[in-house]
Amino acid sequence: MMFRSLCLSACLAVSGPAVAMDFPAPISDDAYRATDPEVVALGRLLFWDPILSGNRNISCGTCHHPRFGTGDGLSLGLGEGGTGLGPERAIDPENPPEQRIPRNAPALFNLGAHEFTVLFHDGRIEETEDGLRTPMGDEMEQGFATLLSAQTMFPVLSADEMAGHYGENEISKAVRQGLITGEGGAWDLLSARVRAIPVYVEMFEAAMPGREIGFTAISDAIAQFVEHEWRSDTAPFDAWLRGEGALPDDALTGLELFYGAAGCAECHSGPFQTDHAFHAMGQPQLGPGKAARFETHARDDGRMRVTGAAADAYAFRTPSLRNATETGPWGHAGAYADLAAFLRDHAAPRAALASYQRDVVLPALEAEDWRVMDDPAQVTAIAAAVQGPDRILTDAEIASLMAFLAMLTDQTALAGRLGIPETVPSGLPVDR
């Protein structure tokens, strides 16, 4: 294979005249928060321990597994009521799920970087000048060391993800009654489980001496583990940015498209290929949508559900593209099981919505997964929210972009630095 290297200051030829490329600077250590090895070791066990789920059967790693690019390998996952991992996850016939998890499980790469100040597809938790903002209110925004730590409160409180169905266990009952903080609240009950395990007590004393084993301490430890385990800045593209390696010709052609004529970097900018902003890109919607239990629609209004602004309808956060070739299915609802097909349709979303092929990875479940896409009015509304022109990519351009995205693949980060523990202090099974 022929290789060539290019100086970052060069102008790369893109379909004729030279176009100046605006590449990100190489990533350095100061882009990230520091982590403590003892806290990371504690967080690793908590991340993989099902003790934090209502029915003691799901860990963070169940839906964020390195075998599936720190996702779950599904378009829309099954939390409580599912068994198995990844595409093999299936319904537990003794305790079937009430619904699919409404959005695709996001990847966990580089969440320890300072610039990640909004999380979730709709950005419903974020750092502001006044501190953290979450939908849970002031009482549940205090005590967390980082935004990533605060994020962990959501899965453990979700009936569909980790808490369990109402009436199944003390955690789900507390959540249903609105008892989250304080004595007897869901966090207190989960923390009591951890406090009852001597190994955890010893590890907390060593890693966080003098700190009470409460939920914010638990979540701080998990967050530090995620930050350390899945830091991703040693991909071939990183070596190229540092002047320490070359890229294949097809990847360089894709790079030219990405940072030039194709306009990908208008949103996928910066060192992690994301502007952290929200854009309506015409993604197909499947599954239950984002709705409260009392609502009957299956829409996912995206950012608008957070801001209430009509201009934010169907807008979702720009994902980082680090290890993107490994994080499928793609889209906020996992509407694409094929990344090349996603790229083609993502570039021309209006046309794609009309001809969308339902290529998804969904465990069998009796559900009306296609209510939105079967409604022409709703499809029209999604298309109408898209801004900018459709751009038709050729097969050659798609192949070149795919070659460039492959250069963002970081094998060290994909494997994880510490890996999956053989056992956890609770003695519960570990998802391997």
Side-chain angles (χ1 to χ4, degrees):
M1 180 182 292
M2 300 263 317
F3 290 81
R4 59 189 170 103
S5 61
L6 295 176
C7 175
L8 292 185
S9 62
C11 291
L12 302 182
V14 180
S15 300
V19 178
M21 299 290 159
D22 186 14
F23 300 115
I27 300 169
S28 58
D29 288 345
D30 60 8
Y32 299 93
R33 291 185 289 270
T35 58
D36 182 300
E38 288 190 288
V39 176
V40 168
L42 171 59
R44 173 181 179 237
L45 297 177
L46 290 165
F47 181 93
W48 289 105
D49 200 330
I51 195 72
L52 296 179
S53 62
N55 290 326
R56 296 176 171 86
N57 59 343
I58 297 170
S59 73
C60 304
T62 304
C63 295
H64 296 285
H65 203 284
R67 280 170 53 189
F68 311 107
T70 69
D72 61 5
L74 298 169
S75 296
L76 299 175
L78 292 179
E80 182 54 52
T83 61
L85 283 177
E88 297 178 358
R89 193 161 177 80
I91 292 171
D92 178 356
E94 301 300 320
N95 181 33
E98 294 180 357
Q99 65 174 24
R100 303 189 196 280
I101 296 172
R103 290 174 178 158
N104 181 257
L108 302 182
F109 300 110
N110 289 320
L111 297 183
H114 297 294
E115 71 173 61
F116 283 79
T117 59
V118 293
L119 293 176
F120 290 118
H121 290 290
D122 57 12
R124 64 185 181 276
I125 69 170
E126 58 187 324
E127 292 180 12
T128 70
E129 293 180 356
D130 299 321
L132 302 182
R133 187 201 61 76
T134 85
M136 307 291 282
D138 292 343
E139 186 181 11
M140 283 167 278
E141 296 168 351
Q142 308 301 316
F144 297 101
T146 63
L147 179 71
L148 179 58
S149 176
Q151 181 273 334
T152 63
M153 85 167 88
F154 288 86
V156 300
L157 300 179
S158 167
D160 297 318
E161 295 183 58
M162 294 179 70
H165 305 141
Y166 179 57
E168 287 187 330
N169 60 72
E170 75 278 18
I171 308 302
S172 63
K173 289 178 182 177
V175 171
R176 186 65 173 262
Q177 295 170 39
L179 302 174
I180 309 300
T181 61
E183 185 176 355
W187 287 357
D188 180 49
L189 296 172
L190 289 170
S191 301
R193 293 182 181 182
V194 176
R195 289 193 296 267
I197 300 174
V199 172
Y200 277 134
V201 174
E202 294 174 8
M203 293 187 73
F204 265 100
E205 183 56 34
M208 302 178 179
R211 186 169 179 184
E212 178 187 1
I213 303 177
F215 189 79
T216 55
I218 292 169
S219 61
D220 284 352
I222 292 173
Q224 282 209 31
F225 165 68
V226 171
E227 292 175 7
H228 173 83
E229 185 78 347
W230 289 298
R231 170 172 164 169
S232 182
D233 58 358
T234 58
F237 182 58
D238 294 301
W240 184 80
L241 287 174
R242 294 175 179 129
E244 299 169 353
L247 299 179
D249 283 350
D250 56 352
L252 285 168
T253 301
L255 178 148
E256 295 173 10
L257 280 168
F258 187 94
Y259 286 98
C264 307
E266 292 176 12
C267 299
H268 292 285
S269 57
F272 304 111
Q273 289 72 49
T274 173
D275 61 3
H276 302 286
F278 302 87
H279 306 279
M281 298 303 298
Q283 274 292 295
Q285 173 61 42
L286 58 139
K290 200 67 176 174
R293 282 293 197 263
F294 62 85
E295 295 178 301
T296 59
H297 67 80
R299 295 190 317 276
D300 190 339
D301 295 322
R303 184 65 171 166
M304 186 177 82
R305 195 167 179 87
V306 175
T307 66
D312 290 330
Y314 306 111
F316 295 88
R317 184 173 62 89
T318 306
S320 169
L321 297 185
R322 293 302 175 133
N323 303 297
T325 59
E326 310 302 315
T327 59
W330 294 270
H332 74 272
Y336 291 87
D338 180 86
L339 181 56
F342 173 85
L343 292 179
R344 179 197 64 223
D345 288 4
H346 186 60
R350 296 178 186 83
L353 279 167
S355 59
Y356 167 65
Q357 302 297 309
R358 299 176 183 185
D359 179 23
V360 294
V361 183
L362 292 173
L365 178 67
E366 188 174 337
E368 297 180 279
D369 290 318
W370 301 104
R371 286 175 57 193
V372 170
M373 297 306 293
D374 286 339
D375 183 343
Q378 294 198 61
V379 175
T380 298
I382 294 172
V386 176
Q387 296 182 350
D390 280 10
R391 186 187 190 282
I392 306 301
L393 294 175
T394 67
D395 290 345
E397 287 174 324
I398 291 172
S400 296
L401 288 170
M402 289 286 291
F404 169 65
L405 291 178
M407 297 299 101
L408 298 174
T409 303
D410 182 342
Q411 296 299 331
T412 298
L414 284 171
R417 285 164 174 76
L418 299 178
I420 305 172
E422 291 296 327
T423 61
V424 290
S426 70
L428 294 166
V430 178
D431 283 325
R432 305 196 63 81

